[in-house]
Amino acid sequence: MKTILPGPILVDTTAHESAEKGWFGWVATVDHKRIGILYLITASIFFLIAGLEALLFRIQLAVPNNHFLSPEAFNQIFTMHGTTMIFLVVMPVLIGLGNYFVPLMIGARDVAFPRLNAMSYWLLAFGGLLLHFSFLAGGAPAAGWFSAAPLNETPFNSTTGQDYWVLSLLVLGIGSVATSINFVVTILLMRAPGMTITRVPLFVWMMLITSLLIIYAFPPLNANVVMLLIDRQLNTAFFLPVNGGSAILWQHFFWAFGHPEVYIMVLPAFGMISEVIPVFSRKPIFGYAFVAGSTVAIGLLSFGVWAHHMFTIGLDRISESFFVAASLLIGVPTGIKIFNWTATMWRGSIHFTTSMMFATAFLIQFVIGGLSGITFAAAPIDWQVNDTYYLVAHFHYVLFGGSMFAVFAGLYYWFPKMTGRMLSEKWGVLHFWLTVIGFNMTFFVQHFLGLLGMARRVYTYPDLPYWGFWNMVSTIGSFILGISAVVLLWNVYASLRWGRIAGDNPWNAWTLEWATTSPPPAENFNRLPAVNGRRPLWDLAHPEDRDEKQAGKMPVLLSMDKTKAGMLTFISSESVFFITLILAYLYYVVLAPVAGKAVHTDIRKMVVFTVCLFSSSFTMWRAEKSMESRRTGSFHAWLVVTILLGGAFIVGEASEWWHLMHTGVVIDSNLFATAFFTLTGFHGLHVCVGLAMLAILLWLTFLPDFNHSLDAVKTIGYYWHFVDVVWVFVFSIVYVRPLL
Amino acid sequence: MNEFFRTPRIAFFLGAIVLLGMAVPSAAPILAGHYPFTVRMGQHMLLQLVIPPLLLMSLPVKKSWRIWPPMDWTLKQPLITWLAGLVAMWGWHTPALCNAAVRSPFLHDAQALSLLVMGAAFWWPIAGPARAQRLHPLLGMFYLFTACMACTVLGIIITVAPANLYLAAPLPGLFNDWQFASPMDQRAGGLLMWVPGCLIYVCGILGLLARFYEPGPEAFPAVEPERTA
């Protein structure tokens, strides 16, 4: 158990990789602060694009029987609006702020894997470009942001837009998982001395939980879009009911991602609110442990309730009742948070800065969105109002009135730290009121429209009583929102040029990011204050009235090599990807007997190659042992044997495929074959990646400056053992199960 | 003994006994074959996921417990105890074993007992009375989260599987009016494992969090698990 002594601690100030100047410096950067800003700029650009799209369809909907947009254009524009706002605006803006502030708030110099961080950003940028390139390549996707099957299949959507949607989601998904692994490892392993996990700022805690949600929720989406891509490109029928596939399975997998995704977009916002409200109420957060704990509860529950998005597809009553009950439960931890924030403000000395005004509006609007959400949890109400404008109003109250308002609160709060200059409060107040009025005008009236029966996603509507009026109100509101965005942009521009110099800690806040200069130097801190509680800067200023009277009670958690930790996190995410593929296989081959003629697999041949693969795990372990005792010769020998055994497995797998294809069994023969080739193919692909890693490792060990990093070898070993363990499951399900 | 009555331990113990009373008489071989599958699933959940942690929490907390060296060693291996939970849950719900346990009174008792014992092993690193053998709360949360995932996957499979995999007879009387038979029965059983089953793990995780945020140095072990000589 370490006791942290009070007093300033010097951090290692070896020069950060010297920052390149100019444009190239931004492109080549691996600094978490620059990458964070790149995220924010990218998100702003896409925010403008998606906002303009919204204005276009609000013009179309302003009056009944309008012909401003064609039905096709309307479909494309609302699909792009939704997809862009979710994947290219809300997520990147939250990840961007996280990127900038998580390392600062925990007193780290950078994230755990700076280059991986840069890769994640560029995957986002190119994923976004890929999605928007579809406009030039024959039309944007047009099946809505959740792209329900079978509408997303070739017979119903034959343009390439849908394929661009799939590919860009895949790229964005990989980037999001990569950046989340970075967050998890950074938060768990790179905290400053004294910054125990029970003391981290709540924004950091929420980013940790969000990252875990991304790591476990994105693999089902990735597997799902991969299957859709196979359907569309290789003519198979995973989700095509006419050929025996299941459109409902698409929904299950999509919402297994889609519901946690809601919390991915809202938990970091909760985190920002939990930073802003205490600082501007001049009180510590009320019930830190409850805010942190209820976040975990929300995160866990979010994985178990996705079927409430599917009440209208015809689930049976029994299933519905279970998911109604579980969905209602989510209201409890969310409500706890609302009470915590309110209690923090209670009898505080509240400073209504623009940031605090946005946070207060967040509280009210999020409660409205949350309450209408609870109405959706009741299946009979859901049958009535699902896919009406009532739903549109609900999720905009959560995602705009909630998440985006929190982002604005966070932006006004942290802008001084990022730029060194204050955002103008005068323009800020104007921005705030325009946003509040515009937002509520646009979306509150949509509750009425929904209850009047107006379905979402209709490109126009007949002149029914009140419909035209409320739609016009909504359209006017959306233009006010558009003006508010212009005001914000002007505020940012003007404040960057002429804004008041901020100083290190303009808000007199308490967390570590305010203990360095604004903007922070490349290495973040020259000196870190001692961390003896949740508010280190308060403790520093008030040594007589510290938050925690006794220092350093908590033991330091986990000391682990960060590369290993990163690999283990990655492997746990990959496991979910394989669980999804295995469930799909079981569904098509075992559970829903529509798969067609069984594929004649050759178990005797595969047993031999399976033994090869399993023994390669043993030889890899021997290689690690040799490295441990620094016997380079034997290490090389075991590594080469491992590669040969893995290679033999791939050859065996290939010969199995070759044989099947020669007997006329190809991926689009029937669902059985589709599921078989997809599952074994993805496993084979992972083995190949493992082989490539082993080969690179072997090559590196022959270089003169190889430093005998046992951790590196073990990291690659983990991956290799993982692909073997996956084969245990694939082999038993594909090859052994039919024998039983 | 006095201490036992003054702490929540007595409540945990009584709770476990009451639930055991609910779960076990229905294990009587005459009745077992005539229960809907859902009731049996509820029984299994109680036996494996609810009663063992309650019993463990009713034991006095010590630094470490010594029972029998091989067992002490086993209980200190989270991977083994995790697998014990997984094997008990997946094993007894393969249709062959699950149905065999309905037909044979001996297997039925073995099932109940093994669910209890393996459940206790599973919960030992989380709710066990040996403080030094408990997992760090963050690791414990991962332990429960992955177990929850395994439980969810099995629940989903049972829910989606073709009907009539499991032997079951609807109860006479009221239940008959509900027409509560397969496929509805089997689906409800699967859902029971999928949704409320998951909630039990969530409760465990929240309990760990409460312990995590509890001030005081003795709440959980330090970095290195202590090695007993």
Side-chain angles (χ1 to χ4, degrees):
Chain A
M1 217 175 284
K2 270 186 189 166
T3 308
I4 308 301
L5 299 169
I9 295 164
L10 271 176
V11 286
D12 165 30
T13 49
T14 29
H16 200 273
E17 278 169 73
S18 59
E20 295 268 357
K21 298 239 157 47
W23 284 100
F24 182 71
W26 282 92
V27 173
T29 187
V30 292
D31 177 10
H32 74 98
K33 298 181 290 295
R34 285 187 158 199
I35 292 174
I37 287 177
L38 285 175
Y39 267 108
L40 293 179
I41 293 173
T42 311
S44 310
I45 295 170
F46 285 120
F47 182 60
L48 290 181
I49 295 175
L52 286 175
E53 284 161 355
L55 291 183
L56 285 178
F57 60 69
R58 274 323 311 172
I59 295 175
Q60 161 68 18
L61 292 170
V63 289
N65 302 313
N66 199 359
H67 294 289
F68 175 72
L69 291 176
S70 70
E72 293 76 23
F74 187 87
N75 286 351
Q76 292 180 17
I77 286 177
F78 79 69
T79 302
M80 288 299 280
H81 168 80
T83 311
T84 307
M85 280 295 188
I86 286 170
F87 294 102
L88 298 170
V89 178
V90 179
M91 283 185 69
V93 87
L94 298 171
I95 288 174
L97 286 170
N99 235 306
Y100 199 105
F101 287 102
V102 164
L104 285 169
M105 291 175 115
I106 61 174
R109 247 180 57 188
D110 205 319
V111 292
F113 311 109
R115 273 176 288 190
L116 183 71
N117 200 19
M119 185 196 88
S120 309
Y121 166 72
W122 289 105
L123 283 176
L124 169 84
F126 286 111
L129 285 179
L130 198 59
L131 182 67
H132 283 78
F133 187 73
S134 61
F135 276 119
L136 308 175
W145 87 269
F146 55 77
S147 201
L151 182 62
N152 55 15
E153 294 276 4
T154 319
F156 306 96
N157 239 312
S158 53
T159 64
T160 50
Q162 193 63 38
D163 301 291
Y164 278 99
W165 183 87
V166 167
L167 287 171
S168 69
L169 249 61
L170 205 53
V171 171
L172 297 172
I174 294 168
S176 305
V177 171
T179 201
S180 302
I181 293 172
N182 228 332
F183 278 126
V184 169
V185 178
T186 307
I187 296 170
L188 288 183
L189 298 180
M190 298 184 66
R191 300 186 310 278
M195 178 66 78
T196 61
I197 200 90
T198 49
R199 284 178 181 160
V200 293
L202 282 164
F203 177 67
V204 174
W205 178 253
M206 308 260 186
M207 282 308 294
L208 175 67
I209 305 296
T210 305
S211 305
L212 290 172
L213 288 184
I214 292 178
I215 286 168
Y216 297 116
F218 266 72
L221 175 73
N222 289 346
N224 214 21
V225 292
V226 159
M227 287 190 270
L228 178 60
L229 193 65
I230 293 174
D231 268 6
R232 292 180 62 88
Q233 296 295 330
L234 301 177
N235 209 16
T236 60
F238 275 120
F239 307 122
L240 210 50
V242 280
N243 295 344
S246 168
I248 290 179
L249 194 70
W250 162 272
Q251 292 224 18
H252 272 298
F253 285 158
F254 189 88
W255 291 116
F257 147 80
H259 196 72
E261 171 73 1
V262 175
Y263 298 97
I264 289 167
M265 289 190 282
V266 91
L267 287 183
F270 286 173
M272 286 178 226
I273 293 297
S274 307
E275 298 302 322
V276 166
I277 286 186
V279 166
F280 294 115
S281 304
R282 310 310 300 160
K283 275 174 67 189
I285 185 97
F286 179 86
Y288 175 100
F290 276 90
V291 180
S294 57
T295 309
V296 177
I298 292 175
L300 290 170
L301 287 173
S302 75
F303 280 106
V305 297
W306 75 73
H308 70 215
H309 292 265
M310 301 164 63
F311 285 154
T312 46
I313 65 158
L315 295 176
D316 53 289
R317 294 298 95 85
I318 284 279
S319 310
E320 277 168 1
S321 346
F322 276 96
F323 289 107
V324 165
S327 306
L328 287 170
L329 268 182
I330 289 198
V332 177
T334 318
I336 288 177
K337 281 195 163 53
I338 301 286
F339 285 123
N340 280 113
W341 292 320
T342 320
T344 307
M345 291 170 75
W346 183 256
R347 297 200 170 163
S349 115
I350 298 178
H351 295 243
F352 274 113
T353 58
T354 311
S355 172
M356 185 63 175
M357 285 160 79
F358 271 110
T360 314
F362 163 92
L363 273 186
I364 298 164
Q365 289 163 175
F366 186 77
V367 166
I368 296 175
L371 288 177
S372 60
I374 286 177
T375 64
F376 277 105
I381 298 181
D382 185 272
W383 300 334
Q384 295 301 317
V385 288
N386 191 17
D387 278 341
T388 68
Y389 266 85
Y390 185 79
L391 180 79
V392 178
H394 155 68
F395 69 70
H396 280 94
Y397 264 83
V398 174
L399 292 180
F400 199 126
S403 295
M404 282 314 282
F405 269 66
V407 165
F408 291 142
L411 185 69
Y412 279 87
Y413 177 62
W414 277 325
F415 188 87
K417 181 51 64 185
M418 290 189 279
T419 63
R421 287 178 187 273
M422 308 292 283
L423 274 175
S424 151
E425 284 289 309
K426 209 169 59 187
W427 285 104
V429 170
L430 180 68
H431 171 225
F432 169 77
W433 284 113
L434 284 175
T435 316
V436 168
I437 294 168
F439 166 75
N440 284 291
M441 238 175 114
T442 311
F443 295 108
F444 198 81
V445 298
Q446 293 184 357
H447 289 112
F448 308 145
L449 278 170
L451 294 175
L452 286 172
M454 181 167 168
R456 76 195 281 208
R457 294 175 175 170
V458 288
Y459 91 103
T460 190
Y461 52 91
D463 191 6
L464 292 165
Y466 306 112
W467 285 35
F469 173 73
W470 290 125
N471 269 303
M472 180 54 91
V473 173
S474 183
T475 299
I476 295 171
S478 69
F479 274 85
I480 298 178
L481 264 184
I483 296 169
S484 82
V486 177
V487 173
L488 172 66
L489 281 182
W490 167 255
N491 194 357
V492 169
Y493 173 77
S495 302
L496 277 175
R497 295 205 68 164
W498 309 293
R500 195 156 53 81
I501 300 293
D504 292 355
N505 189 359
W507 310 120
N508 211 353
W510 306 302
T511 39
L512 283 183
E513 79 269 33
W514 304 103
T516 182
T517 52
S518 308
E523 70 278 5
N524 283 356
F525 298 94
N526 293 325
R527 274 168 157 245
L528 266 180
V531 182
N532 290 315
R534 286 171 186 154
R535 300 190 299 164
L537 300 198
W538 168 273
D539 293 347
L540 200 65
H542 305 88
E544 73 296 342
D545 185 25
R546 294 215 308 256
D547 282 347
E548 288 176 40
K549 303 296 177 244
Q550 288 162 302
K553 267 191 173 172
M554 300 283 185
V556 180
L557 173 77
L558 295 171
S559 58
M560 190 183 192
D561 176 67
K562 59 183 184 180
T563 323
K564 277 199 221 161
M567 180 54 90
L568 287 178
T569 320
F570 175 62
I571 285 174
S572 68
S573 178
E574 286 272 84
S575 317
V576 181
F577 180 79
F578 275 106
I579 289 174
T580 314
L581 285 183
I582 287 174
L583 279 176
Y585 181 88
L586 280 175
Y587 184 83
Y588 290 115
V589 171
V590 187
L591 303 180
V594 287
K597 214 160 107 288
V599 172
H600 279 287
T601 49
D602 187 349
I603 182 164
R604 259 170 293 176
K605 186 166 75 186
M606 280 320 281
V607 164
V608 178
F609 295 111
T610 300
V611 170
C612 284
L613 189 64
F614 291 162
S615 43
S616 77
S617 246
F618 170 76
T619 56
M620 186 67 209
W621 173 70
R622 290 308 309 167
E624 289 165 23
K625 286 284 157 203
S626 307
M627 174 61 93
E628 215 171 321
S629 48
R630 301 234 163 187
R631 285 174 288 132
T632 317
S634 109
F635 169 73
H636 282 148
W638 284 118
L639 195 57
V640 168
V641 174
T642 309
I643 294 176
L644 288 177
L645 286 169
F649 172 80
I650 285 297
V651 170
E653 181 88 69
S655 79
E656 170 92 339
W657 279 33
W658 184 256
H659 172 74
L660 284 172
M661 288 172 177
H662 267 256
T663 51
V665 182
V666 287
I667 193 162
D668 61 350
S669 298
N670 57 34
L671 269 173
F672 201 121
T674 309
F676 170 83
F677 281 113
T678 306
L679 182 56
T680 56
F682 266 100
H683 176 262
L685 185 68
H686 279 71
V687 175
C688 291
V689 170
L691 282 174
M693 282 159 68
L694 292 176
I696 292 171
L697 178 68
L698 185 66
W699 173 65
L700 285 177
T701 55
F702 281 110
L703 294 183
D705 54 349
F706 179 65
N707 58 3
H708 286 86
S709 165
L710 182 63
D711 285 329
V713 176
K714 284 201 166 161
T715 304
I716 293 173
Y718 285 156
Y719 189 81
W720 189 253
H721 300 311
F722 165 71
V723 296
D724 290 2
V725 171
V726 171
W727 185 249
V728 174
F729 290 96
V730 175
F731 184 72
S732 5
I733 288 167
V734 176
Y735 288 91
V736 180
R737 191 199 50 83
L739 303 179
L740 298 176
Chain B
M1 190 40 97
N2 275 339
E3 188 237 287
F4 178 70
F5 287 103
R6 272 187 277 112
T7 55
R9 281 171 44 207
I10 176 77
F12 292 136
F13 185 72
L14 288 179
I17 295 303
V18 170
L19 290 174
L20 205 59
M22 282 164 68
V24 168
S26 51
I30 309 157
L31 282 174
H34 299 284
Y35 269 68
F37 174 68
T38 311
V39 173
R40 250 184 310 144
M41 179 63 92
Q43 202 182 48
H44 297 171
M45 311 282 292
L46 284 178
L47 285 172
Q48 196 194 339
L49 294 181
V50 182
I51 296 169
L54 286 178
L55 282 177
L56 290 179
M57 284 190 291
S58 73
L59 294 172
V61 178
K62 287 196 251 170
K63 187 147 194 236
S64 69
W65 272 62
R66 307 253 171 87
I67 310 162
W68 180 47
M71 205 160 112
D72 299 339
W73 181 85
T74 312
L75 290 176
K76 270 188 235 164
Q77 313 298 321
L79 192 64
I80 295 181
T81 56
W82 189 90
L83 282 173
L86 185 85
V87 167
M89 178 166 289
W90 278 68
W92 284 117
H93 291 104
T94 51
L97 273 180
C98 196
N99 293 338
V102 175
R103 290 203 201 88
S104 142
F106 169 74
L107 262 186
H108 196 284
D109 296 346
Q111 182 189 40
L113 197 66
S114 70
L115 283 173
L116 265 179
V117 171
M118 288 165 98
F122 172 80
W123 284 101
W124 187 269
I126 305 294
R131 208 181 294 121
Q133 290 167 16
R134 283 181 190 163
L135 282 175
H136 186 284
L138 287 190
L139 292 178
M141 284 190 249
F142 185 71
Y143 178 97
L144 289 180
F145 175 72
T146 45
C148 175
M149 213 143 67
C151 171
T152 303
V153 169
L154 180 59
I156 293 176
I157 291 178
I158 295 176
T159 311
V160 184
N164 297 317
L165 276 184
Y166 298 95
L167 284 181
L171 274 183
L174 182 64
F175 286 87
N176 244 356
D177 297 340
W178 292 0
Q179 300 188 323
F180 193 71
S182 199
M184 209 218 241
D185 180 23
Q186 184 179 315
R187 223 179 281 144
L191 283 160
L192 200 62
M193 175 175 264
W194 177 358
V195 185
C198 219
L199 290 182
I200 299 173
Y201 293 101
V202 172
C203 290
I205 289 175
L206 293 181
L208 283 179
L209 264 178
R211 195 192 289 164
F212 190 37
Y213 282 106
E214 198 172 276
E218 291 294 310
F220 49 86
V223 191
E224 277 98 12
E226 288 173 55
R227 301 226 173 260
T228 40

